[in-house]
Amino acid sequence: MNHDSYEDAYLRNILASSHTVALVGASLRDDRPSHWVMGFLLGKGYRVFPVNPLIAGHEIHGRKVLPSLAAIPVAIDLVDVFRSSDAFGAVVDEVLALQPRPRAIWGQLGVRDDKAAARAEKAGIDVVMNRALVAEYPLVYEAQHRAVASL
């Protein structure tokens, strides 16, 4: 897949069909994007599991921080990555070891590794990179309200 641009329908489908999100690179600091994006997702009704081995056991927005994706006790729909591009491949490796596997991996702004993305896509996982998930959320809102307006 070409990761230079994405169709709105592709992004909308990932966001609308995801209910359980692993937020990798979660931060206790409320001035960090991962912190407030987690609050945003929780406010929109997503079930969010913060992941960061350096602060495992602490709480963010009332949710216990876990040390790894494997420590999440339920199936994950979406892995939202707030790590550097050079760490993206390791996150993909961790995702590929999960059973069941998440439906999608989302690399936040500045996070891109095309080789790692190709590995995930070969395994049937949708990948978005270098995009702010919160900025794309209006696609879900629009789709939900368009469906209600047509009733």
Side-chain angles (χ1 to χ4, degrees):
M1 167 178 249
N2 178 354
H3 290 283
D4 292 328
S5 65
Y6 300 97
E7 297 285 330
D8 285 351
Y10 179 76
L11 300 173
R12 182 184 308 110
N13 188 37
I14 291 170
L15 293 172
S17 66
S18 297
H19 305 288
T20 304
V21 179
L23 195 141
V24 176
S27 177
L28 294 170
R29 292 178 40 190
D30 63 3
D31 63 335
R32 304 292 297 176
S34 64
H35 190 91
W36 50 265
V37 167
M38 182 177 167
F40 174 87
L41 291 172
L42 289 168
K44 295 299 180 189
Y46 291 88
R47 188 173 181 193
V48 183
F49 293 89
V51 177
N52 186 330
L54 300 177
I55 57 171
H58 288 82
E59 286 193 4
I60 302 172
H61 298 293
R63 303 289 305 184
K64 184 178 177 182
V65 179
L66 300 171
S68 67
L69 292 174
I72 298 173
V74 299
I76 305 160
D77 299 318
L78 173 64
V79 177
D80 190 10
V81 182
F82 285 88
R83 299 284 318 275
S84 63
S85 293
D86 62 347
F88 192 71
V91 174
V92 168
D93 291 341
E94 195 174 353
V95 165
L96 293 175
L98 296 173
Q99 287 301 324
R101 290 181 177 145
R103 181 184 183 294
I105 303 171
W106 191 295
Q108 288 292 326
L109 282 175
V111 180
R112 183 166 178 165
D113 179 337
D114 290 297
K115 289 181 182 178
R119 290 197 327 271
E121 290 167 336
K122 185 176 179 181
I125 300 169
D126 291 334
V127 178
V128 175
M129 296 184 292
N130 194 31
R131 295 295 281 257
L133 185 148
V134 170
E136 305 302 338
Y137 188 79
L139 295 169
V140 175
Y141 180 85
E142 174 191 325
Q144 290 171 340
H145 287 78
R146 184 176 36 215
V148 170
S150 69
L151 294 177

